[in-house]
Amino acid sequence: NAGVTQTPKFQVLKTGQSMTLQCAQDMNHEYMSWYRQDPGMGLRLIHYSVGAGITDQGEVPNGYNVSRSTTEDFPLRLLSAAPSQTSVYFCASSYGRGGETQYFGPGTRLLVL
Amino acid sequence: SQELEQSPQSLIVQEGKNLTINCTSSKTLYGLYWYKQKYGEGLIFLMMLQKGGEEKSHEKITAKLDEKKQQSSLHITASQPSHAGIYLCGADDGGSQGNLIFGKGTKLSVKP
């Protein structure tokens, strides 16, 4: 198993550009989520999904969209990038919710100029 | 809302020394997770604790959850340079979706 994979590893954007961060898992996990990690702020939940076709907002959803058309993939879209979205983004997945270990991808470093 | 506070924020120890990292919750913990992160990499799952008084060990790392389920500690015995990194505690946020909240992390440096 590849586990949780994320692409790209690093991206530079200009303010106003859009892009999609890709996340995929091959463990047949139902639960997937996106976090952002900022210095002094820890990890904060952006969006999550409890199964294909079901998504919901986390703590910091503004400026981000998600969709879950398949169990394997959970892309995160930045509609109009802002410097405040400069961060490291992590995707995670788990078999279920509540009491299940979440497995994390290697992260995407995003710089918005 | 629930918050997790980790202490210390950073720690520098000499190789071979023992150390402890603490994670304190503002509410009862229903699931406490410890992760390790190396710079530029993702989070690696270490251990999960659910029951009050529970203790788990893996190699030289031991994690405990207190009886009241509001504090957890991570203890490393005879530290090695390979233990260096950022240690994060995470907890179920108490909602029905199984989302996690995280502490801000403890940065551990081990001097050879």
Side-chain angles (χ1 to χ4, degrees):
Chain A
N1 286 350
V4 181
T5 58
Q6 291 183 237
T7 56
K9 288 187 178 180
F10 183 71
Q11 184 72 47
V12 179
L13 290 178
K14 293 182 180 179
T15 297
Q17 287 185 316
S18 62
M19 80 160 294
T20 299
L21 280 63
Q22 301 292 343
C23 174
Q25 52 87 13
D26 61 358
M27 297 174 282
N28 202 32
H29 284 172
E30 289 294 322
Y31 181 94
M32 296 186 74
S33 55
W34 277 101
Y35 294 87
R36 59 178 290 175
Q37 185 178 36
D38 302 291
M41 300 295 291
L43 282 156
R44 293 180 292 171
L45 183 66
I46 305 171
H47 285 286
Y48 65 96
S49 168
V50 299
I54 306 169
T55 63
D56 206 344
Q57 296 180 348
E59 180 185 355
V60 287
N62 292 341
Y64 308 96
N65 274 359
V66 291
S67 60
R68 185 94 180 271
S69 56
T70 67
T71 299
E72 294 78 21
D73 300 299
F74 191 43
L76 178 72
R77 279 182 284 276
L78 281 70
L79 305 174
S80 177
S84 60
Q85 294 178 304
T86 293
S87 186
V88 182
Y89 292 85
F90 290 101
C91 178
S93 74
S94 63
Y95 183 72
R97 38 180 153 154
E100 298 286 344
T101 301
Q102 290 194 23
Y103 295 92
F104 284 77
T108 294
R109 290 184 172 274
L110 177 66
L111 175 62
V112 183
L113 301 174
Chain B
S1 61
Q2 187 175 14
E3 291 185 355
L4 295 178
E5 185 172 334
Q6 285 187 238
S7 62
Q9 289 184 343
S10 64
L11 194 54
I12 302 173
V13 299
Q14 198 71 38
E15 182 177 358
K17 296 293 186 183
N18 302 337
L19 64 107
T20 299
I21 298 169
N22 293 304
C23 176
T24 302
S25 173
S26 58
K27 296 183 180 180
T28 300
L29 292 163
Y30 292 99
L32 190 286
Y33 303 80
W34 282 102
Y35 289 86
K36 179 186 175 184
Q37 182 181 25
K38 290 197 170 183
Y39 181 75
E41 299 180 14
L43 279 67
I44 300 169
F45 170 73
L46 296 176
M47 279 171 275
M48 180 181 75
L49 305 165
Q50 287 186 302
K51 300 176 183 177
E54 187 174 8
E55 179 176 321
K56 289 187 178 178
S57 294
H58 176 67
E59 297 180 344
K60 294 185 178 180
I61 301 176
T62 300
K64 299 178 185 179
L65 182 61
D66 74 348
E67 290 289 345
K68 293 183 179 179
K69 295 175 64 176
Q70 283 200 263
Q71 186 171 47
S72 178
S73 61
L74 186 82
H75 184 77
I76 298 177
T77 303
S79 58
Q80 300 169 351
S82 61
H83 288 127
I86 299 172
Y87 289 82
L88 294 122
C89 63
D92 287 327
D93 68 358
S96 61
Q97 303 301 323
N99 295 325
L100 294 183
I101 59 168
F102 285 88
K104 295 180 180 179
T106 296
K107 183 178 178 181
L108 172 64
S109 301
V110 180
K111 287 186 173 180

